[in-house]
Amino acid sequence: MPLVTSKDLLLAALEGHFAIGAFNANNMEQVQGIVDAAVEEKAPVILQVSQGAIRYAGLDTAAALVKIAAAEANVPVVLHLDHGTDVEQNVRCLRAGFTSLMFDGSKKTYEENVATTAKVAQIAHWCNIPVEAELGKVLQSTDGVTEKDVQAAMTNPDQAQDFITRTGCDSLAIAVGSVHAMQQAAAKLDIARIKAIREKVSIPFVLHGSSGVAEESEVEAIPYGITKINVATMLNVAFAEGLRKAMAELPDNVDPRKWLGYSRDAVKEVVRHKIRLFGSSGTVTSSGGLVSPKTVHRAAHLGGAEE
Ligand code: G3H
Ligand code: ZN
């Protein structure tokens, strides 16, 4: 299928009380592992290109990998810019065919964040492409953050309505207890804060830094409108473990495909697990559309979505 935008998928997820996995990919094996899992699980999927991936693979190469994988898949695939740095980079991604954008103004002042997000949203909307913004700040574990830092960086529910109205963003990344790049899934989300933000605004929410969040906490947050869950570190860990296993089992091998096949399979199984956990498994019909949100919602209570 051709790429789709994230707009309708996230609104359907909001209505159906499930979340769509947004998986970061840095290379061909990760792209294939992610898309193969989504196809087998009949789930929509978002592939994200991070700033690190742009530096590593190049913007056009990263985009091309996702486009080709999407064209061969019979489930909706979104090509998303993760943590976009400025207006110019977002415009470059529009020109490269991205179907979902992000401007991350979390390190800027509130007014600067509003002004730049609004500009990105205006330009993207001229092209019918949705924009994710960030309010509050999801910190980086590599910066040595404390619990106090995490608390201080959380999204202020009282700013949310003003931010959405003035920026026109389509989805909102909220800081509610997760921290980027953690290798242990130990953090608990501030569910009361998510509820409080949900009472102020109705657009889909995005969870960043999910690799460090306890799975029961992720699941608890979904009914309050967490509709896009970003997964990166966990996939890198799976990729590395697959590679280590391959090198141990095939010490004399010199064919990279034999090693990287282990990594691709390892990534695929983590993505499959997350898709099932988020409730998006089985939400794509045989024609490639989404089942009605009400059907998913009902089925989720029975232990799994159905066509
Ligand atoms: O933007 C990407 C994510 O927020 C991923 O976070 O590496 O902690 O899974 P993670
Ligand atoms: Zn993130």
Side-chain angles (χ1 to χ4, degrees), residues 81-301:
L81 169 65
D82 193 24
H83 292 288
T85 52
D86 50 34
V87 178
E88 191 190 332
Q89 184 180 63
N90 273 276
V91 170
R92 271 206 305 276
C93 287
L94 279 176
R95 290 172 61 89
F98 280 61
T99 54
S100 184
L101 298 177
M102 178 183 187
F103 171 67
D104 175 359
S106 63
K107 293 193 184 75
K108 299 190 178 300
T109 65
Y110 179 73
E111 287 302 325
E112 284 170 343
N113 190 2
V114 167
T116 311
T117 302
K119 199 166 179 183
V120 171
Q122 182 182 43
I123 296 167
H125 292 168
W126 285 334
C127 308
N128 284 327
I129 298 298
V131 173
E132 173 185 330
E134 183 161 331
L135 180 63
K137 197 189 295 174
V138 180
L139 301 171
Q140 213 46 49
S141 63
T142 42
D143 294 339
V145 295
T146 64
E147 187 51 41
K148 206 171 153 207
D149 297 331
V150 175
Q151 289 289 335
M154 284 199 192
T155 304
N156 177 354
D158 293 329
Q159 279 183 329
Q161 182 58 61
D162 180 70
F163 187 79
I164 305 297
T165 308
R166 289 171 64 197
T167 61
C169 66
D170 301 275
S171 60
L172 187 66
I174 53 176
V176 287
S178 59
V179 175
H180 282 113
M182 283 169 66
Q183 291 192 25
Q184 305 297 328
K188 282 218 161 74
L189 298 174
D190 185 342
I191 302 290
R193 186 175 294 264
I194 302 173
K195 280 191 207 170
I197 307 167
R198 174 53 66 217
E199 277 165 20
K200 308 276 183 179
V201 294
S202 58
I203 65 171
F205 294 154
V206 180
L207 176 67
H208 282 249
S210 84
S211 295
V213 178
E215 292 196 331
E216 57 276 15
S217 193
E218 279 180 303
V219 170
E220 195 185 350
I222 291 173
Y224 302 107
I226 299 279
T227 59
K228 173 175 178 278
I229 300 186
N230 292 3
V231 188
T233 302
M234 192 177 271
L235 300 188
N236 289 340
V237 169
F239 189 95
E241 281 171 358
L243 196 54
R244 274 189 212 103
K245 186 170 179 229
M247 293 177 95
E249 284 181 16
L250 308 168
D252 300 324
N253 174 58
V254 292
D255 180 346
R257 293 168 298 188
K258 289 191 179 156
W259 285 332
L260 294 173
Y262 277 63
S263 293
R264 181 169 57 190
D265 291 347
V267 168
K268 181 174 162 183
E269 291 316 312
V270 173
V271 172
R272 185 195 306 285
H273 169 72
K274 285 293 176 182
I275 283 173
R276 291 181 180 177
L277 186 77
F278 300 160
S280 60
S281 181
T283 59
V284 178
T285 66
S286 48
S287 57
L290 282 195
V291 297
S292 96
K294 283 193 179 59
T295 310
V296 182
H297 192 180
R298 199 171 53 242
H301 290 287

